[in-house]
Amino acid sequence: RMVDPNDISAVKESFTRCMGQGLIDVFYDRFLSSRPDIAQRFAQTNVVHHKELLQQSLTLMILFAEKNP
């Protein structure tokens, strides 16, 4: 199924808006506080690096969809 360019545009706008509201920080804050064992399992994890990876991954998915409708 081909992706509608209007859908891609809407996703980009939404992503930009959410990133401006701290999407990645909110995600990790909620994730790590969701259960006590989650925070323990990720205690030795470089969360800053993982936040960067998540942002890059989401950006790449949008770019891929944009270039490959």
Side-chain angles (χ1 to χ4, degrees):
R1 175 177 174 251
M2 299 210 32
V3 178
D4 186 323
N6 292 325
D7 291 341
I8 295 171
S9 180
V11 168
K12 286 173 64 175
E13 289 174 20
S14 178
F15 179 68
T16 300
R17 187 174 54 254
C18 290
M19 290 303 294
Q21 296 174 359
L23 170 70
I24 304 297
D25 290 330
V26 170
F27 170 80
Y28 271 97
D29 289 346
R30 289 183 182 176
F31 174 66
L32 294 173
S33 66
S34 64
R35 292 187 357 213
D37 62 313
I38 297 293
Q40 291 172 351
R41 290 179 189 203
F42 287 86
Q44 301 301 316
T45 301
N46 182 342
V47 177
V48 172
H49 180 66
H50 277 260
K51 287 178 179 182
E52 292 170 357
L53 290 174
L54 178 57
Q55 181 176 350
Q56 291 171 2
S57 297
L58 294 171
T59 301
L60 285 174
M61 286 190 297
I62 293 168
L63 290 172
F64 180 81
E66 187 175 40
K67 302 287 187 221
N68 299 285

